[in-house]
Amino acid sequence: MSCKGSSEIIEVSTLQELSKYLNQDNVTVKLAPGEYHITNTDLSHNVILKKYTNGKPETDYPISALLYFSGNNSKYILNNVIIHLDTKLHKAFGKNHIFEVFVSGNNNTIEGLEVKDMGHEHPIRGAIMMHVMGDGNTISNVKLHIQGSYPYGYGHLLGKGANPIVTPQKHSSLLVSGKDTKLLGCTVITRGFGHGIVMQGAVNTFIKDCYVEGEMRSTDAMLAETSGPAFETGFSSDYPPGKILPNEIKALSEDGVRSYPYGSLVGRKTENITVINTTIKNMRSGIDLNAHIGKTEIENCTVIGCQEKGYSVASNAVVKNSRGDAQYGPLLSFPGNNVKNCQVELELMPSVGDYPVKRLAEINGSGHTIIIKNYDNKKRTKVSPIVFGESFWSDVHRYRNPNSDPKQFSGANNITLNNQTGMPIIFKELSENNKVVSNGELLEDLGKNNMFEKNKID
């Protein structure tokens, strides 16, 4: 395989000059430091991708890219380069999906780029600030600042996916669908409704030294509105109990680091993800990696102030030397009963907020070995229980499908927990054959025949 870039460095001083090399192989290009603006479509490309169904490319998927890296084995040195994107361009491409920065080439290095959305115009269909679809690419020290989505200011309360209350025009941050992608030292600051770093059809993604940040908003502020989409729909919610409740807080973006099971633009399953020394703040979920196959490794990560859950992982995941604060939602959640044999070591940071946390951890699945201890030996001041056999998502499913069997969504068995937090333990009806060492005391969950132990609270 050729080396990334040639030994000769080509120096350019405008985006127009840079664009001439974005489709070339084996070049090394350096853009002069400075601030640049993209306010028109002169540099953009319209591309017809294919959308796969069952591994076959069946339908056209038209996209528009403002910066289109389609060459191979090249290096782009963009240190101290800031590119401002006028969000009016979100309306400039009709119903095409927009990739503001699109990397379809292979074995490239992009380092030092900073991209900022300027304005709040939302796309007609959807937008992603950076999509890495090629294989073997390294994205290093790139900073993304996202704005422009609809509706923004309510998190997921107005719905997403099928049958939303208000149809969203999302704006995600950094999508990986290629193989062997490295994200090193990247920063995502999102003020849009969409995910931070997300994998769809990606294989062997390596994320290190990254930072993802969203923002929070109280439901009291939402309910005080006298116009806008929430007001116009009677403050309805797609989540139980069907309306926006007071005295809660919601993340306005989606998940910090998220996997999906399949990539419809590459026609394959998502597989093997490693996340090291990465921090997620104020997102819906922190590190939500429960939908892919293969390896899941999380090491020395921090999740702060995330709403729905801090960590969620797939079968056989390894989480070590990591931490989170459970300020607004559970530190750890296994939302379904089909996740098996995870090794999890987490530290509970002591930060608490003004909003109640229903469960400190949601334990489901089977065969896990879990250790939760206090960060820096500081005990949490507000009591929240570690619960076996329930989760937020099982609550949602029961609300949406009240006649469904709870066993479809919850259940915990043959799990070992070392609880060093001082927080209480609750075994629910769908838990059995679990063992918890809590403050030196062994609690055995023996199923329905031992209700005293099943309702044990420290």
Side-chain angles (χ1 to χ4, degrees), residues 69-107:
F69 293 80
S70 58
N72 305 294
N73 305 309
S74 292
K75 182 175 183 179
Y76 300 93
I77 303 169
L78 307 173
N79 297 308
N80 299 310
V81 167
I82 302 174
I83 298 178
H84 300 275
L85 303 178
D86 190 338
T87 58
K88 291 179 181 178
L89 294 172
H90 288 162
K91 307 287 192 183
F93 302 100
K95 294 185 178 180
N96 283 11
H97 293 263
I98 298 170
F99 302 158
E100 291 171 315
V101 180
F102 183 29
V103 184
S104 68
N106 305 314
N107 303 315

mmCIF file of all heavy atoms in Angstrom, residues 69-107:
data_model
loop_
_atom_site.group_PDB
_atom_site.id
_atom_site.type_symbol
_atom_site.label_atom_id
_atom_site.label_comp_id
_atom_site.label_asym_id
_atom_site.label_seq_id
_atom_site.Cartn_x
_atom_site.Cartn_y
_atom_site.Cartn_z
ATOM 1 N N PHE A 69 -13.455 15.024 -0.177
ATOM 2 C CA PHE A 69 -12.147 14.380 -0.205
ATOM 3 C C PHE A 69 -12.315 12.993 -0.844
ATOM 4 O O PHE A 69 -12.691 12.031 -0.187
ATOM 5 C CB PHE A 69 -11.593 14.225 1.208
ATOM 6 C CG PHE A 69 -11.241 15.520 1.895
ATOM 7 C CD1 PHE A 69 -12.226 16.298 2.481
ATOM 8 C CD2 PHE A 69 -9.926 15.955 1.968
ATOM 9 C CE1 PHE A 69 -11.916 17.487 3.130
ATOM 10 C CE2 PHE A 69 -9.600 17.142 2.618
ATOM 11 C CZ PHE A 69 -10.602 17.912 3.190
ATOM 12 N N SER A 70 -12.004 12.884 -2.133
ATOM 13 C CA SER A 70 -12.226 11.625 -2.849
ATOM 14 C C SER A 70 -10.933 10.967 -3.314
ATOM 15 O O SER A 70 -10.975 9.886 -3.911
ATOM 16 C CB SER A 70 -13.141 11.862 -4.052
ATOM 17 O OG SER A 70 -12.581 12.828 -4.925
ATOM 18 N N GLY A 71 -9.783 11.600 -3.077
ATOM 19 C CA GLY A 71 -8.512 10.995 -3.454
ATOM 20 C C GLY A 71 -8.082 9.923 -2.467
ATOM 21 O O GLY A 71 -8.736 9.670 -1.445
ATOM 22 N N ASN A 72 -6.952 9.267 -2.777
ATOM 23 C CA ASN A 72 -6.440 8.170 -1.959
ATOM 24 C C ASN A 72 -4.982 8.413 -1.588
ATOM 25 O O ASN A 72 -4.226 9.042 -2.333
ATOM 26 C CB ASN A 72 -6.547 6.848 -2.730
ATOM 27 C CG ASN A 72 -7.957 6.560 -3.214
ATOM 28 O OD1 ASN A 72 -8.857 6.344 -2.412
ATOM 29 N ND2 ASN A 72 -8.151 6.581 -4.528
ATOM 30 N N ASN A 73 -4.606 7.890 -0.429
ATOM 31 C CA ASN A 73 -3.200 7.916 0.007
ATOM 32 C C ASN A 73 -2.642 9.329 0.066
ATOM 33 O O ASN A 73 -1.462 9.559 -0.235
ATOM 34 C CB ASN A 73 -2.329 7.058 -0.925
ATOM 35 C CG ASN A 73 -2.852 5.644 -1.049
ATOM 36 O OD1 ASN A 73 -3.111 4.988 -0.046
ATOM 37 N ND2 ASN A 73 -3.040 5.185 -2.279
ATOM 38 N N SER A 74 -3.465 10.281 0.479
ATOM 39 C CA SER A 74 -3.035 11.671 0.538
ATOM 40 C C SER A 74 -3.104 12.190 1.962
ATOM 41 O O SER A 74 -3.762 11.612 2.836
ATOM 42 C CB SER A 74 -3.897 12.544 -0.381
ATOM 43 O OG SER A 74 -3.654 12.220 -1.744
ATOM 44 N N LYS A 75 -2.403 13.304 2.185
ATOM 45 C CA LYS A 75 -2.379 13.928 3.506
ATOM 46 C C LYS A 75 -2.714 15.400 3.358
ATOM 47 O O LYS A 75 -2.173 16.084 2.481
ATOM 48 C CB LYS A 75 -1.006 13.763 4.162
ATOM 49 C CG LYS A 75 -0.927 14.343 5.571
ATOM 50 C CD LYS A 75 0.419 14.039 6.221
ATOM 51 C CE LYS A 75 0.473 14.552 7.648
ATOM 52 N NZ LYS A 75 1.778 14.240 8.298
ATOM 53 N N TYR A 76 -3.601 15.882 4.250
ATOM 54 C CA TYR A 76 -4.039 17.267 4.207
ATOM 55 C C TYR A 76 -3.722 17.907 5.563
ATOM 56 O O TYR A 76 -4.280 17.512 6.588
ATOM 57 C CB TYR A 76 -5.524 17.343 3.880
ATOM 58 C CG TYR A 76 -5.831 16.715 2.539
ATOM 59 C CD1 TYR A 76 -6.199 15.371 2.442
ATOM 60 C CD2 TYR A 76 -5.690 17.444 1.361
ATOM 61 C CE1 TYR A 76 -6.444 14.780 1.213
ATOM 62 C CE2 TYR A 76 -5.934 16.858 0.129
ATOM 63 C CZ TYR A 76 -6.306 15.522 0.061
ATOM 64 O OH TYR A 76 -6.533 14.945 -1.169
ATOM 65 N N ILE A 77 -2.793 18.850 5.530
ATOM 66 C CA ILE A 77 -2.324 19.512 6.742
ATOM 67 C C ILE A 77 -3.103 20.815 6.879
ATOM 68 O O ILE A 77 -2.889 21.769 6.131
ATOM 69 C CB ILE A 77 -0.803 19.780 6.672
ATOM 70 C CG1 ILE A 77 -0.047 18.459 6.437
ATOM 71 C CG2 ILE A 77 -0.315 20.454 7.949
ATOM 72 C CD1 ILE A 77 1.420 18.650 6.096
ATOM 73 N N LEU A 78 -4.013 20.842 7.846
ATOM 74 C CA LEU A 78 -4.945 21.963 7.973
ATOM 75 C C LEU A 78 -4.904 22.538 9.383
ATOM 76 O O LEU A 78 -5.915 23.004 9.925
ATOM 77 C CB LEU A 78 -6.359 21.491 7.621
ATOM 78 C CG LEU A 78 -6.503 20.793 6.262
ATOM 79 C CD1 LEU A 78 -7.896 20.225 6.093
ATOM 80 C CD2 LEU A 78 -6.185 21.752 5.120
ATOM 81 N N ASN A 79 -3.729 22.546 9.980
ATOM 82 C CA ASN A 79 -3.587 23.071 11.329
ATOM 83 C C ASN A 79 -3.876 24.572 11.357
ATOM 84 O O ASN A 79 -3.444 25.322 10.473
ATOM 85 C CB ASN A 79 -2.170 22.812 11.844
ATOM 86 C CG ASN A 79 -1.868 21.326 11.961
ATOM 87 O OD1 ASN A 79 -2.621 20.589 12.581
ATOM 88 N ND2 ASN A 79 -0.797 20.884 11.339
ATOM 89 N N ASN A 80 -4.629 24.992 12.382
ATOM 90 C CA ASN A 80 -4.997 26.406 12.558
ATOM 91 C C ASN A 80 -5.812 26.948 11.384
ATOM 92 O O ASN A 80 -5.778 28.141 11.093
ATOM 93 C CB ASN A 80 -3.750 27.266 12.780
ATOM 94 C CG ASN A 80 -2.986 26.843 14.025
ATOM 95 O OD1 ASN A 80 -3.565 26.706 15.094
ATOM 96 N ND2 ASN A 80 -1.684 26.597 13.867
ATOM 97 N N VAL A 81 -6.538 26.044 10.738
ATOM 98 C CA VAL A 81 -7.469 26.430 9.669
ATOM 99 C C VAL A 81 -8.891 26.341 10.225
ATOM 100 O O VAL A 81 -9.288 25.316 10.781
ATOM 101 C CB VAL A 81 -7.322 25.508 8.447
ATOM 102 C CG1 VAL A 81 -8.481 25.709 7.482
ATOM 103 C CG2 VAL A 81 -5.990 25.758 7.749
ATOM 104 N N ILE A 82 -9.636 27.428 10.112
ATOM 105 C CA ILE A 82 -11.043 27.457 10.526
ATOM 106 C C ILE A 82 -11.889 27.767 9.302
ATOM 107 O O ILE A 82 -11.679 28.781 8.631
ATOM 108 C CB ILE A 82 -11.295 28.511 11.620
ATOM 109 C CG1 ILE A 82 -10.409 28.251 12.847
ATOM 110 C CG2 ILE A 82 -12.769 28.512 12.024
ATOM 111 C CD1 ILE A 82 -10.499 29.328 13.906
ATOM 112 N N ILE A 83 -12.840 26.877 9.013
ATOM 113 C CA ILE A 83 -13.747 27.090 7.887
ATOM 114 C C ILE A 83 -15.147 27.349 8.425
ATOM 115 O O ILE A 83 -15.702 26.536 9.159
ATOM 116 C CB ILE A 83 -13.756 25.878 6.939
ATOM 117 C CG1 ILE A 83 -12.361 25.653 6.346
ATOM 118 C CG2 ILE A 83 -14.777 26.084 5.822
ATOM 119 C CD1 ILE A 83 -12.256 24.454 5.437
ATOM 120 N N HIS A 84 -15.705 28.517 8.082
ATOM 121 C CA HIS A 84 -17.055 28.883 8.480
ATOM 122 C C HIS A 84 -18.017 28.513 7.351
ATOM 123 O O HIS A 84 -17.816 28.905 6.198
ATOM 124 C CB HIS A 84 -17.136 30.383 8.753
ATOM 125 C CG HIS A 84 -16.218 30.851 9.852
ATOM 126 N ND1 HIS A 84 -16.555 30.798 11.179
ATOM 127 C CD2 HIS A 84 -14.967 31.386 9.792
ATOM 128 C CE1 HIS A 84 -15.554 31.273 11.907
ATOM 129 N NE2 HIS A 84 -14.581 31.636 11.088
ATOM 130 N N LEU A 85 -19.064 27.769 7.704
ATOM 131 C CA LEU A 85 -20.056 27.347 6.723
ATOM 132 C C LEU A 85 -21.368 28.092 6.981
ATOM 133 O O LEU A 85 -21.933 28.013 8.074
ATOM 134 C CB LEU A 85 -20.309 25.845 6.825
ATOM 135 C CG LEU A 85 -19.100 24.916 6.658
ATOM 136 C CD1 LEU A 85 -19.536 23.474 6.828
ATOM 137 C CD2 LEU A 85 -18.442 25.118 5.311
ATOM 138 N N ASP A 86 -21.838 28.799 5.970
ATOM 139 C CA ASP A 86 -23.110 29.498 6.075
ATOM 140 C C ASP A 86 -24.238 28.474 6.040
ATOM 141 O O ASP A 86 -24.381 27.728 5.063
ATOM 142 C CB ASP A 86 -23.250 30.490 4.917
ATOM 143 C CG ASP A 86 -24.433 31.429 5.071
ATOM 144 O OD1 ASP A 86 -25.371 31.089 5.807
ATOM 145 O OD2 ASP A 86 -24.416 32.498 4.430
ATOM 146 N N THR A 87 -25.048 28.421 7.114
ATOM 147 C CA THR A 87 -26.100 27.407 7.153
ATOM 148 C C THR A 87 -27.221 27.677 6.150
ATOM 149 O O THR A 87 -28.090 26.806 5.967
ATOM 150 C CB THR A 87 -26.709 27.284 8.563
ATOM 151 O OG1 THR A 87 -27.231 28.557 8.970
ATOM 152 C CG2 THR A 87 -25.665 26.818 9.566
ATOM 153 N N LYS A 88 -27.195 28.820 5.466
ATOM 154 C CA LYS A 88 -28.146 29.007 4.370
ATOM 155 C C LYS A 88 -27.930 27.962 3.277
ATOM 156 O O LYS A 88 -28.855 27.642 2.521
ATOM 157 C CB LYS A 88 -28.003 30.414 3.795
ATOM 158 C CG LYS A 88 -28.475 31.514 4.734
ATOM 159 C CD LYS A 88 -28.294 32.890 4.109
ATOM 160 C CE LYS A 88 -28.746 33.992 5.082
ATOM 161 N NZ LYS A 88 -28.539 35.347 4.507
ATOM 162 N N LEU A 89 -26.712 27.407 3.239
ATOM 163 C CA LEU A 89 -26.427 26.354 2.257
ATOM 164 C C LEU A 89 -27.191 25.067 2.560
ATOM 165 O O LEU A 89 -27.296 24.191 1.697
ATOM 166 C CB LEU A 89 -24.927 26.081 2.206
ATOM 167 C CG LEU A 89 -24.071 27.241 1.662
ATOM 168 C CD1 LEU A 89 -22.593 26.941 1.830
ATOM 169 C CD2 LEU A 89 -24.400 27.520 0.201
ATOM 170 N N HIS A 90 -27.713 24.929 3.777
ATOM 171 C CA HIS A 90 -28.530 23.763 4.086
ATOM 172 C C HIS A 90 -29.796 23.715 3.226
ATOM 173 O O HIS A 90 -30.417 22.654 3.086
ATOM 174 C CB HIS A 90 -28.927 23.767 5.568
ATOM 175 C CG HIS A 90 -27.791 23.450 6.487
ATOM 176 N ND1 HIS A 90 -27.803 23.741 7.831
ATOM 177 C CD2 HIS A 90 -26.584 22.859 6.254
ATOM 178 C CE1 HIS A 90 -26.677 23.346 8.392
ATOM 179 N NE2 HIS A 90 -25.923 22.801 7.456
ATOM 180 N N LYS A 91 -30.178 24.864 2.673
ATOM 181 C CA LYS A 91 -31.366 24.931 1.820
ATOM 182 C C LYS A 91 -31.019 24.948 0.329
ATOM 183 O O LYS A 91 -31.913 25.053 -0.506
ATOM 184 C CB LYS A 91 -32.156 26.210 2.138
ATOM 185 C CG LYS A 91 -32.509 26.413 3.599
ATOM 186 C CD LYS A 91 -33.597 25.484 4.061
ATOM 187 C CE LYS A 91 -34.133 25.912 5.428
ATOM 188 N NZ LYS A 91 -35.154 24.985 5.944
ATOM 189 N N ALA A 92 -29.739 24.847 0.001
ATOM 190 C CA ALA A 92 -29.305 25.105 -1.376
ATOM 191 C C ALA A 92 -29.307 23.870 -2.271
ATOM 192 O O ALA A 92 -29.039 23.985 -3.469
ATOM 193 C CB ALA A 92 -27.907 25.718 -1.369
ATOM 194 N N PHE A 93 -29.599 22.691 -1.723
ATOM 195 C CA PHE A 93 -29.427 21.462 -2.499
ATOM 196 C C PHE A 93 -30.720 20.661 -2.604
ATOM 197 O O PHE A 93 -30.692 19.443 -2.791
ATOM 198 C CB PHE A 93 -28.317 20.614 -1.886
ATOM 199 C CG PHE A 93 -26.989 21.320 -1.814
ATOM 200 C CD1 PHE A 93 -26.554 21.887 -0.618
ATOM 201 C CD2 PHE A 93 -26.197 21.449 -2.942
ATOM 202 C CE1 PHE A 93 -25.341 22.536 -0.552
ATOM 203 C CE2 PHE A 93 -24.975 22.114 -2.880
ATOM 204 C CZ PHE A 93 -24.557 22.664 -1.686
ATOM 205 N N GLY A 94 -31.850 21.338 -2.467
ATOM 206 C CA GLY A 94 -33.122 20.645 -2.577
ATOM 207 C C GLY A 94 -33.266 19.569 -1.524
ATOM 208 O O GLY A 94 -32.976 19.786 -0.352
ATOM 209 N N LYS A 95 -33.688 18.388 -1.957
ATOM 210 C CA LYS A 95 -33.913 17.286 -1.023
ATOM 211 C C LYS A 95 -32.710 16.358 -0.884
ATOM 212 O O LYS A 95 -32.818 15.276 -0.296
ATOM 213 C CB LYS A 95 -35.145 16.496 -1.452
ATOM 214 C CG LYS A 95 -36.438 17.297 -1.339
ATOM 215 C CD LYS A 95 -37.651 16.448 -1.649
ATOM 216 C CE LYS A 95 -38.939 17.251 -1.479
ATOM 217 N NZ LYS A 95 -40.144 16.439 -1.770
ATOM 218 N N ASN A 96 -31.563 16.768 -1.427
ATOM 219 C CA ASN A 96 -30.355 15.969 -1.213
ATOM 220 C C ASN A 96 -29.968 15.968 0.264
ATOM 221 O O ASN A 96 -30.137 16.976 0.962
ATOM 222 C CB ASN A 96 -29.186 16.544 -2.018
ATOM 223 C CG ASN A 96 -29.272 16.201 -3.484
ATOM 224 O OD1 ASN A 96 -30.285 15.703 -3.956
ATOM 225 N ND2 ASN A 96 -28.205 16.479 -4.220
ATOM 226 N N HIS A 97 -29.422 14.855 0.717
ATOM 227 C CA HIS A 97 -28.792 14.838 2.025
ATOM 228 C C HIS A 97 -27.454 15.570 1.922
ATOM 229 O O HIS A 97 -26.771 15.506 0.894
ATOM 230 C CB HIS A 97 -28.579 13.402 2.499
ATOM 231 C CG HIS A 97 -29.849 12.675 2.782
ATOM 232 N ND1 HIS A 97 -30.394 12.558 4.036
ATOM 233 C CD2 HIS A 97 -30.716 12.039 1.946
ATOM 234 C CE1 HIS A 97 -31.523 11.882 3.977
ATOM 235 N NE2 HIS A 97 -31.747 11.545 2.718
ATOM 236 N N ILE A 98 -27.080 16.260 2.990
ATOM 237 C CA ILE A 98 -25.893 17.111 2.946
ATOM 238 C C ILE A 98 -24.803 16.527 3.834
ATOM 239 O O ILE A 98 -25.019 16.267 5.021
ATOM 240 C CB ILE A 98 -26.243 18.540 3.395
ATOM 241 C CG1 ILE A 98 -27.267 19.157 2.445
ATOM 242 C CG2 ILE A 98 -24.990 19.415 3.455
ATOM 243 C CD1 ILE A 98 -27.856 20.452 2.929
ATOM 244 N N PHE A 99 -23.629 16.287 3.246
ATOM 245 C CA PHE A 99 -22.417 15.977 3.990
ATOM 246 C C PHE A 99 -21.519 17.199 3.857
ATOM 247 O O PHE A 99 -20.937 17.437 2.788
ATOM 248 C CB PHE A 99 -21.704 14.748 3.429
ATOM 249 C CG PHE A 99 -22.541 13.495 3.395
ATOM 250 C CD1 PHE A 99 -22.214 12.463 2.529
ATOM 251 C CD2 PHE A 99 -23.635 13.329 4.229
ATOM 252 C CE1 PHE A 99 -22.964 11.306 2.482
ATOM 253 C CE2 PHE A 99 -24.400 12.173 4.193
ATOM 254 C CZ PHE A 99 -24.062 11.147 3.321
ATOM 255 N N GLU A 100 -21.400 17.970 4.897
ATOM 256 C CA GLU A 100 -20.620 19.204 4.777
ATOM 257 C C GLU A 100 -19.158 18.908 4.442
ATOM 258 O O GLU A 100 -18.552 19.600 3.629
ATOM 259 C CB GLU A 100 -20.771 20.011 6.068
ATOM 260 C CG GLU A 100 -22.192 20.559 6.219
ATOM 261 C CD GLU A 100 -22.475 21.181 7.568
ATOM 262 O OE1 GLU A 100 -22.099 20.565 8.592
ATOM 263 O OE2 GLU A 100 -23.074 22.266 7.615
ATOM 264 N N VAL A 101 -18.601 17.887 5.069
ATOM 265 C CA VAL A 101 -17.271 17.386 4.707
ATOM 266 C C VAL A 101 -17.426 15.888 4.445
ATOM 267 O O VAL A 101 -17.840 15.144 5.324
ATOM 268 C CB VAL A 101 -16.246 17.635 5.829
ATOM 269 C CG1 VAL A 101 -14.875 17.097 5.426
ATOM 270 C CG2 VAL A 101 -16.159 19.122 6.174
ATOM 271 N N PHE A 102 -17.092 15.456 3.234
ATOM 272 C CA PHE A 102 -17.298 14.057 2.844
ATOM 273 C C PHE A 102 -15.962 13.452 2.457
ATOM 274 O O PHE A 102 -15.264 13.958 1.569
ATOM 275 C CB PHE A 102 -18.273 13.998 1.671
ATOM 276 C CG PHE A 102 -18.635 12.605 1.225
ATOM 277 C CD1 PHE A 102 -18.644 11.542 2.106
ATOM 278 C CD2 PHE A 102 -19.000 12.365 -0.096
ATOM 279 C CE1 PHE A 102 -18.998 10.258 1.689
ATOM 280 C CE2 PHE A 102 -19.354 11.095 -0.522
ATOM 281 C CZ PHE A 102 -19.353 10.042 0.373
ATOM 282 N N VAL A 103 -15.593 12.369 3.136
ATOM 283 C CA VAL A 103 -14.333 11.672 2.866
ATOM 284 C C VAL A 103 -14.685 10.295 2.308
ATOM 285 O O VAL A 103 -15.015 9.364 3.041
ATOM 286 C CB VAL A 103 -13.476 11.531 4.142
ATOM 287 C CG1 VAL A 103 -12.122 10.892 3.811
ATOM 288 C CG2 VAL A 103 -13.284 12.883 4.816
ATOM 289 N N SER A 104 -14.635 10.170 0.981
ATOM 290 C CA SER A 104 -14.933 8.881 0.348
ATOM 291 C C SER A 104 -13.679 8.154 -0.092
ATOM 292 O O SER A 104 -13.732 6.960 -0.396
ATOM 293 C CB SER A 104 -15.854 9.089 -0.859
ATOM 294 O OG SER A 104 -15.173 9.765 -1.893
ATOM 295 N N GLY A 105 -12.551 8.869 -0.159
ATOM 296 C CA GLY A 105 -11.291 8.240 -0.549
ATOM 297 C C GLY A 105 -10.722 7.379 0.571
ATOM 298 O O GLY A 105 -11.212 7.371 1.706
ATOM 299 N N ASN A 106 -9.659 6.632 0.231
ATOM 300 C CA ASN A 106 -9.067 5.669 1.151
ATOM 301 C C ASN A 106 -7.665 6.071 1.577
ATOM 302 O O ASN A 106 -6.922 6.692 0.811
ATOM 303 C CB ASN A 106 -9.016 4.285 0.493
ATOM 304 C CG ASN A 106 -10.374 3.821 0.004
ATOM 305 O OD1 ASN A 106 -11.366 3.933 0.707
ATOM 306 N ND2 ASN A 106 -10.413 3.314 -1.225
ATOM 307 N N ASN A 107 -7.313 5.691 2.815
ATOM 308 C CA ASN A 107 -5.939 5.823 3.315
ATOM 309 C C ASN A 107 -5.442 7.268 3.310
ATOM 310 O O ASN A 107 -4.295 7.549 2.973
ATOM 311 C CB ASN A 107 -4.981 4.933 2.518
ATOM 312 C CG ASN A 107 -5.401 3.482 2.537
ATOM 313 O OD1 ASN A 107 -5.756 2.947 3.590
ATOM 314 N ND2 ASN A 107 -5.420 2.844 1.372
#
